[in-house]
Amino acid sequence: MSNYKYTPNIKVKKIATELEPGMVFLFPGQGSAKPKMFEHLLQDPTFIEFIEQSNQFLGKFNKQSVSDYLNGIKIQDTDLALVRNIALFTCEVALFNKVSKIFPVHKTMGHSFGEFAALVACGALTYAEGLEFIHLREASCPVKNIGGMLVIGKIKANKDKIEKIPELHIANYNSYNQNAYSFDIKDFEEISKKLRKLRVPFVHLYNLKYPYHSSIMEPARKELAIKLKGLNLKLENELICPFYSCVTQKNYTTISDLKEDIYQILSDQLVKPVDFVLAIESFFENKKYSFFECGPDNTLEVFTKNIYKEKERSYEFFFHSLPKSLEQKVYSPALLKSKWFKTLGGILTEVTGYKVKELEISYDFQKDLGIDSIKKAEVLYKTLNAEQIESVDQISLSSFKTVGEFVEYMESFGDQLLEDSVSPKENQTFYPYSIT
């Protein structure tokens, strides 16, 4: 074992972040909003900037703040819908602004309420215009509870039973396994009885007090359309990236194309069902896509995986949300294609039982994989030996705590390791490193 002290004099090679054709950013709907969401990012400068803008906007109407909602402070019932929606919108846009600096953006698309954050992300609307619109949208909805929404799973098995309940209005085609339905408040008791009698399991979405994406919201749509005439959208700058609308089921690549439909998209979103299945299928073509869900949960990830599995398609990567802490970084998708990740994954499978497909790039060796410093050294020895590398004098275990940091560390040497490595003799094990 070499005792030479390793002093790096090699410039760290920047890991390529290019994806083909790029990252599709997905924005979930208001059903995903909850108090204390993204609490690990509330002190992030990007989040602080957007939260302060939203707080000032709500302050003009004497409403409680986004900060209150995100910190778990009780919101008055009269303010809740507006504050909750703006809180989700704020976090989704902030998250996009943070992550889009890391991953190349191919397209934005929103599920239900997420459509508005997607419009801001692609550059069609300014953040201020988005806030104004959400306020107008909420002001157009009735004060009293006129209905709600529920979710039904196992759609194929329950299709015939659901058709026997005409009071249900299809609202969201979420996946091949789940749909959401809207209902008039006067019909809810009867609908519940029928579903139970037919033994169809369902979940009532209590945090959604309106029957969105159904004809029941037509009066609200008409009122919103009138209010939108006073909202002078600039629509001056070219789109940053293409935008797919679940309302019109169109893909927009230029601002001129979007200008024709933007007001329709904003108003009709209240009554048009969301066909997320069709939207995801529109990405199939002959390419593989990578996705990033700009939300607090992995709701759209579950839907997307089901759609791809049903159609026997595959995608490159699916990234959800952000790190659990500010210190934990977001890794380049390119790392998952690295030979070091694949080799390390195989070694970790032997040591921990984790399959390579289950291995996350962000996993901490000790916290997530239960690998202490001694076993970690053994894992790294085996990984380096598997690549037949013996050109690094010393490797410090403290240089990488996570799988991703190890891959980045090894990639930083570029081709030097391969150029300097020697071919091993048969059955020979190399331990030419001083691991500290």
Side-chain angles (χ1 to χ4, degrees):
M1 209 180 279
S2 173
N3 292 319
Y4 293 109
K5 185 176 182 181
Y6 172 60
T7 53
N9 55 7
I10 305 170
K11 290 184 178 180
V12 176
K13 177 183 177 183
K14 183 177 180 181
I15 304 299
T17 59
E18 288 301 318
L19 289 169
E20 291 294 339
M23 186 74 76
V24 178
F25 283 83
L26 304 176
F27 299 82
Q30 62 200 67
S32 63
K34 54 188 176 183
K36 293 188 176 183
M37 59 182 173
F38 298 106
E39 62 179 336
H40 59 291
L41 290 169
L42 298 187
Q43 299 306 313
D44 178 82
T46 302
F47 272 68
I48 290 174
E49 177 185 349
F50 283 99
I51 289 171
E52 287 180 349
Q53 290 184 57
S54 296
N55 287 346
Q56 291 175 10
F57 177 79
L58 287 169
K60 295 191 301 184
F61 306 99
N62 295 316
K63 301 293 184 181
Q64 284 182 257
S65 69
V66 163
S67 295
D68 285 348
Y69 184 80
L70 295 177
N71 284 294
I73 297 173
K74 181 175 175 56
I75 306 297
Q76 297 178 17
D77 290 343
T78 54
D79 295 351
L80 181 57
L82 177 62
V83 174
R84 179 176 57 206
N85 288 348
I86 286 186
L88 179 64
F89 171 76
T90 300
C91 291
E92 289 185 341
V93 174
L95 185 55
F96 172 81
N97 274 266
K98 188 173 181 66
V99 180
S100 60
K101 295 176 182 177
I102 304 170
F103 297 150
V105 183
H106 172 66
K107 186 179 297 186
T108 67
M109 186 186 80
H111 181 287
S112 185
F113 181 81
E115 184 124 343
F116 312 130
L119 280 167
V120 173
C122 75
L125 300 181
T126 66
Y127 187 70
E129 288 172 341
L131 291 173
E132 291 285 356
F133 165 72
I134 294 171
H135 179 256
L136 292 178
R137 180 178 183 265
E138 190 60 33
S140 301
C141 293
V143 176
K144 66 177 182 178
N145 187 356
I146 63 171
M149 301 181 71
L150 55 84
V151 170
I152 297 177
K154 298 183 179 179
I155 295 301
K156 289 183 179 180
N158 293 314
K159 181 180 178 182
D160 294 339
K161 297 177 181 179
I162 295 171
E163 290 176 350
K164 296 178 182 180
I165 309 177
E167 298 90 348
L168 284 175
H169 301 255
I170 183 66
N172 301 339
Y173 296 94
N174 290 332
S175 69
Y176 286 105
N177 191 51
Q178 184 196 105
N179 286 343
Y181 298 84
S182 288
F183 56 85
D184 192 304
I185 191 66
K186 63 180 176 59
D187 297 324
F188 181 61
E189 188 174 341
E190 183 65 22
I191 291 172
S192 299
K193 288 181 180 179
K194 289 182 178 180
L195 288 173
R196 291 189 177 95
K197 184 177 180 180
L198 293 169
R199 295 189 176 183
V200 176
F202 68 95
V203 176
H204 182 195
L205 304 177
Y206 288 97
N207 62 331
L208 299 179
K209 67 175 183 177
Y210 297 124
Y212 293 107
H213 313 305
S214 73
S215 58
I216 306 171
M217 293 295 287
E218 178 59 22
R221 186 204 67 79
K222 289 181 178 178
E223 185 172 344
L224 178 57
I226 294 173
K227 292 181 183 296
L228 285 176
K229 293 179 180 179
L231 184 62
N232 297 315
L233 303 177
K234 294 180 180 179
L235 303 173
E236 296 174 347
N237 299 323
E238 195 48 70
L239 299 183
I240 298 171
C241 65
F243 161 76
Y244 182 92
S245 172
C246 285
V247 176
T248 61
Q249 297 175 354
K250 291 182 183 179
N251 188 57
Y252 298 91
T253 57
T254 66
I255 193 65
S256 59
D257 291 338
L258 189 53
K259 276 183 179 180
E260 299 178 8
D261 295 341
I262 186 67
Y263 287 97
Q264 176 193 349
I265 290 173
L266 294 177
S267 61
D268 287 7
Q269 194 266 353
L270 284 173
V271 297
K272 285 287 189 71
V274 174
D275 197 335
F276 188 71
V277 174
L278 180 64
I280 293 298
E281 287 183 347
S282 73
F283 298 142
F284 283 167
E285 300 170 354
N286 295 313
K287 300 176 181 177
K288 290 184 177 181
Y289 287 83
S290 298
F291 299 91
F292 190 99
E293 181 171 354
C294 288
D297 293 312
N298 65 335
T299 304
L300 300 186
E301 177 182 3
V302 174
F303 295 163
T304 303
K305 285 183 175 179
N306 173 264
I307 296 168
Y308 270 77
K309 181 179 179 181
E310 185 74 17
K311 290 295 184 179
E312 297 182 346
R313 300 291 184 117
S314 61
Y315 50 82
E316 288 289 274
F317 312 112
F318 205 115
F319 292 81
H320 160 246
S321 191
L322 260 192
K324 296 178 181 178
S325 69
L326 291 176
E327 291 74 30
Q328 185 182 334
K329 64 186 293 184
V330 176
Y331 295 96
S332 162
L335 295 183
L336 294 179
K337 293 183 177 181
S338 167
K339 63 178 181 129
W340 291 106
F341 178 71
K342 295 176 182 177
T343 302
L344 178 63
I347 302 299
L348 287 173
T349 296
E350 297 177 15
V351 176
T352 67
Y354 272 89
K355 296 180 180 179
V356 178
K357 290 183 179 179
E358 298 173 350
L359 184 65
E360 296 287 343
I361 196 77
S362 62
Y363 277 176
D364 185 287
F365 279 103
Q366 186 164 357
K367 294 179 181 178
D368 298 315
L369 298 174
I371 295 177
D372 58 24
S373 58
I374 296 177
K375 188 175 289 187
K376 183 178 175 183
E378 177 188 349
V379 168
L380 299 183
Y381 277 138
K382 289 184 177 180
T383 302
L384 294 166
N385 289 331
E387 292 296 332
Q388 303 174 10
I389 303 300
E390 65 162 358
S391 63
V392 181
D393 292 324
Q394 185 184 56
I395 295 177
S396 173
L397 291 180
S398 61
S399 297
F400 36 83
K401 296 181 179 180
T402 68
V403 171
E405 287 175 353
F406 170 74
V407 177
E408 283 185 330
Y409 186 80
M410 301 314 296
E411 287 281 355
S412 69
F413 293 98
D415 297 327
Q416 178 168 332
L417 290 177
L418 292 177
E419 293 171 356
D420 296 344
S421 62
V422 298
S423 299
K425 298 178 181 178
E426 188 175 359
N427 299 323
Q428 181 179 356
T429 300
F430 289 107
Y431 292 107
Y433 319 101
S434 175
I435 297 187
T436 61

